[in-house]
mmCIF file of all heavy atoms in Angstrom:
data_model
loop_
_atom_site.group_PDB
_atom_site.id
_atom_site.type_symbol
_atom_site.label_atom_id
_atom_site.label_comp_id
_atom_site.label_asym_id
_atom_site.label_seq_id
_atom_site.Cartn_x
_atom_site.Cartn_y
_atom_site.Cartn_z
ATOM 1 N N THR A 131 62.271 -83.663 -19.341
ATOM 2 C CA THR A 131 63.564 -84.383 -19.391
ATOM 3 C C THR A 131 64.085 -84.710 -18.068
ATOM 4 O O THR A 131 63.631 -84.063 -17.034
ATOM 5 C CB THR A 131 64.716 -83.539 -20.190
ATOM 6 O OG1 THR A 131 64.786 -82.323 -19.427
ATOM 7 C CG2 THR A 131 64.263 -83.240 -21.639
ATOM 8 N N ASP A 132 64.966 -85.729 -17.923
ATOM 9 C CA ASP A 132 65.633 -85.996 -16.643
ATOM 10 C C ASP A 132 66.924 -85.233 -16.443
ATOM 11 O O ASP A 132 67.150 -84.334 -17.301
ATOM 12 C CB ASP A 132 65.903 -87.568 -16.609
ATOM 13 C CG ASP A 132 66.951 -88.062 -17.567
ATOM 14 O OD1 ASP A 132 67.634 -87.187 -18.264
ATOM 15 O OD2 ASP A 132 67.017 -89.275 -17.787
ATOM 16 N N GLU A 133 67.600 -85.521 -15.437
ATOM 17 C CA GLU A 133 68.748 -84.725 -15.064
ATOM 18 C C GLU A 133 69.932 -84.949 -16.099
ATOM 19 O O GLU A 133 70.953 -84.210 -16.094
ATOM 20 C CB GLU A 133 69.295 -85.116 -13.699
ATOM 21 C CG GLU A 133 68.343 -84.623 -12.616
ATOM 22 C CD GLU A 133 68.678 -84.911 -11.257
ATOM 23 O OE1 GLU A 133 69.260 -86.052 -11.031
ATOM 24 O OE2 GLU A 133 68.522 -84.144 -10.352
ATOM 25 N N HIS A 134 69.838 -85.955 -17.012
ATOM 26 C CA HIS A 134 70.753 -86.175 -17.990
ATOM 27 C C HIS A 134 70.366 -85.614 -19.366
ATOM 28 O O HIS A 134 70.927 -85.969 -20.413
ATOM 29 C CB HIS A 134 71.152 -87.638 -18.152
ATOM 30 C CG HIS A 134 71.655 -88.254 -16.817
ATOM 31 N ND1 HIS A 134 72.817 -88.022 -16.319
ATOM 32 C CD2 HIS A 134 70.959 -89.046 -15.925
ATOM 33 C CE1 HIS A 134 72.966 -88.586 -15.043
ATOM 34 N NE2 HIS A 134 71.859 -89.202 -14.869
ATOM 35 N N ASP A 135 69.315 -84.774 -19.331
ATOM 36 C CA ASP A 135 68.753 -84.135 -20.514
ATOM 37 C C ASP A 135 68.118 -85.191 -21.458
ATOM 38 O O ASP A 135 68.005 -84.926 -22.658
ATOM 39 C CB ASP A 135 69.744 -83.234 -21.225
ATOM 40 C CG ASP A 135 69.085 -82.138 -22.055
ATOM 41 O OD1 ASP A 135 67.937 -81.786 -21.622
ATOM 42 O OD2 ASP A 135 69.600 -81.698 -23.114
ATOM 43 N N ARG A 136 67.719 -86.279 -20.985
ATOM 44 C CA ARG A 136 67.079 -87.317 -21.859
ATOM 45 C C ARG A 136 65.557 -87.163 -21.682
ATOM 46 O O ARG A 136 65.019 -86.894 -20.597
ATOM 47 C CB ARG A 136 67.452 -88.783 -21.388
ATOM 48 C CG ARG A 136 68.882 -89.096 -21.491
ATOM 49 C CD ARG A 136 69.228 -90.438 -20.927
ATOM 50 N NE ARG A 136 68.975 -90.458 -19.464
ATOM 51 C CZ ARG A 136 69.315 -91.518 -18.676
ATOM 52 N NH1 ARG A 136 70.017 -92.437 -19.156
ATOM 53 N NH2 ARG A 136 69.025 -91.384 -17.382
ATOM 54 N N ARG A 137 64.910 -87.159 -22.865
ATOM 55 C CA ARG A 137 63.405 -86.985 -22.893
ATOM 56 C C ARG A 137 62.744 -88.060 -22.112
ATOM 57 O O ARG A 137 62.919 -89.277 -22.415
ATOM 58 C CB ARG A 137 62.933 -86.840 -24.314
ATOM 59 C CG ARG A 137 61.555 -86.417 -24.435
ATOM 60 C CD ARG A 137 61.065 -86.266 -25.890
ATOM 61 N NE ARG A 137 61.768 -85.053 -26.450
ATOM 62 C CZ ARG A 137 61.191 -84.108 -27.168
ATOM 63 N NH1 ARG A 137 59.887 -84.167 -27.367
ATOM 64 N NH2 ARG A 137 61.877 -83.141 -27.603
ATOM 65 N N VAL A 138 61.823 -87.721 -21.258
ATOM 66 C CA VAL A 138 61.152 -88.635 -20.405
ATOM 67 C C VAL A 138 59.615 -88.647 -20.941
ATOM 68 O O VAL A 138 59.014 -89.630 -20.973
ATOM 69 C CB VAL A 138 61.128 -88.208 -18.902
ATOM 70 C CG1 VAL A 138 60.108 -88.989 -18.055
ATOM 71 C CG2 VAL A 138 62.529 -88.209 -18.302
ATOM 72 N N CYS A 139 59.173 -87.442 -21.283
ATOM 73 C CA CYS A 139 57.833 -87.349 -21.727
ATOM 74 C C CYS A 139 57.635 -86.241 -22.743
ATOM 75 O O CYS A 139 58.268 -85.136 -22.581
ATOM 76 C CB CYS A 139 56.876 -87.062 -20.487
ATOM 77 S SG CYS A 139 55.145 -86.844 -20.878
ATOM 78 N N SER A 140 56.768 -86.411 -23.744
ATOM 79 C CA SER A 140 56.358 -85.333 -24.729
ATOM 80 C C SER A 140 54.862 -85.183 -24.462
ATOM 81 O O SER A 140 54.149 -86.102 -24.443
ATOM 82 C CB SER A 140 56.624 -85.793 -26.082
ATOM 83 O OG SER A 140 57.964 -86.062 -26.358
ATOM 84 N N ALA A 141 54.510 -83.885 -24.312
ATOM 85 C CA ALA A 141 53.030 -83.666 -23.957
ATOM 86 C C ALA A 141 52.516 -82.455 -24.822
ATOM 87 O O ALA A 141 53.404 -81.641 -25.304
ATOM 88 C CB ALA A 141 52.835 -83.431 -22.488
ATOM 89 N N ARG A 142 51.291 -82.420 -25.107
ATOM 90 C CA ARG A 142 50.642 -81.223 -25.683
ATOM 91 C C ARG A 142 49.403 -80.927 -24.909
ATOM 92 O O ARG A 142 48.568 -81.792 -24.551
ATOM 93 C CB ARG A 142 50.306 -81.551 -27.145
ATOM 94 C CG ARG A 142 49.796 -80.367 -27.919
ATOM 95 C CD ARG A 142 49.313 -80.660 -29.355
ATOM 96 N NE ARG A 142 48.162 -81.521 -29.201
ATOM 97 C CZ ARG A 142 47.932 -82.646 -29.744
ATOM 98 N NH1 ARG A 142 49.028 -83.194 -30.395
ATOM 99 N NH2 ARG A 142 46.912 -83.389 -29.552
ATOM 100 N N LEU A 143 49.238 -79.674 -24.675
ATOM 101 C CA LEU A 143 48.095 -79.176 -23.884
ATOM 102 C C LEU A 143 47.367 -78.020 -24.600
ATOM 103 O O LEU A 143 48.018 -77.180 -25.093
ATOM 104 C CB LEU A 143 48.463 -78.666 -22.513
ATOM 105 C CG LEU A 143 47.382 -77.953 -21.635
ATOM 106 C CD1 LEU A 143 46.405 -79.079 -21.145
ATOM 107 C CD2 LEU A 143 47.950 -77.137 -20.576
ATOM 108 N N THR A 144 46.113 -78.268 -24.717
ATOM 109 C CA THR A 144 45.213 -77.157 -25.341
ATOM 110 C C THR A 144 44.320 -76.583 -24.172
ATOM 111 O O THR A 144 43.734 -77.348 -23.478
ATOM 112 C CB THR A 144 44.386 -77.579 -26.538
ATOM 113 O OG1 THR A 144 45.204 -78.070 -27.555
ATOM 114 C CG2 THR A 144 43.495 -76.523 -27.085
ATOM 115 N N CYS A 145 44.302 -75.334 -24.051
ATOM 116 C CA CYS A 145 43.503 -74.661 -23.076
ATOM 117 C C CYS A 145 42.486 -73.708 -23.722
ATOM 118 O O CYS A 145 42.866 -73.090 -24.711
ATOM 119 C CB CYS A 145 44.324 -73.768 -22.150
ATOM 120 S SG CYS A 145 45.334 -74.723 -20.879
ATOM 121 N N MET A 146 41.278 -73.752 -23.220
ATOM 122 C CA MET A 146 40.258 -72.724 -23.687
ATOM 123 C C MET A 146 40.581 -71.525 -22.889
ATOM 124 O O MET A 146 40.850 -71.570 -21.681
ATOM 125 C CB MET A 146 38.865 -73.301 -23.437
ATOM 126 C CG MET A 146 37.762 -72.265 -23.737
ATOM 127 S SD MET A 146 36.112 -72.918 -23.365
ATOM 128 C CE MET A 146 36.192 -73.161 -21.633
ATOM 129 N N LEU A 147 40.483 -70.321 -23.586
ATOM 130 C CA LEU A 147 40.691 -69.096 -22.842
ATOM 131 C C LEU A 147 39.328 -68.548 -22.658
ATOM 132 O O LEU A 147 38.637 -68.020 -23.522
ATOM 133 C CB LEU A 147 41.572 -68.153 -23.676
ATOM 134 C CG LEU A 147 42.923 -68.699 -23.940
ATOM 135 C CD1 LEU A 147 43.716 -67.765 -24.949
ATOM 136 C CD2 LEU A 147 43.703 -68.895 -22.746
ATOM 137 N N LYS A 148 38.832 -68.548 -21.338
ATOM 138 C CA LYS A 148 37.453 -68.164 -20.990
ATOM 139 C C LYS A 148 37.493 -66.799 -20.322
ATOM 140 O O LYS A 148 38.401 -66.462 -19.530
ATOM 141 C CB LYS A 148 37.041 -69.223 -19.968
ATOM 142 C CG LYS A 148 35.685 -68.972 -19.364
ATOM 143 C CD LYS A 148 35.301 -70.075 -18.388
ATOM 144 C CE LYS A 148 34.155 -69.763 -17.630
ATOM 145 N NZ LYS A 148 34.454 -69.306 -16.164
#
Side-chain angles (χ1 to χ4, degrees):
T131 57
D132 65 13
E133 292 179 321
H134 303 289
D135 205 30
R136 296 177 298 194
R137 190 176 291 230
V138 172
C139 177
S140 298
R142 186 187 67 238
L143 174 72
T144 297
C145 288
M146 176 179 64
L147 301 174
K148 177 182 170 256

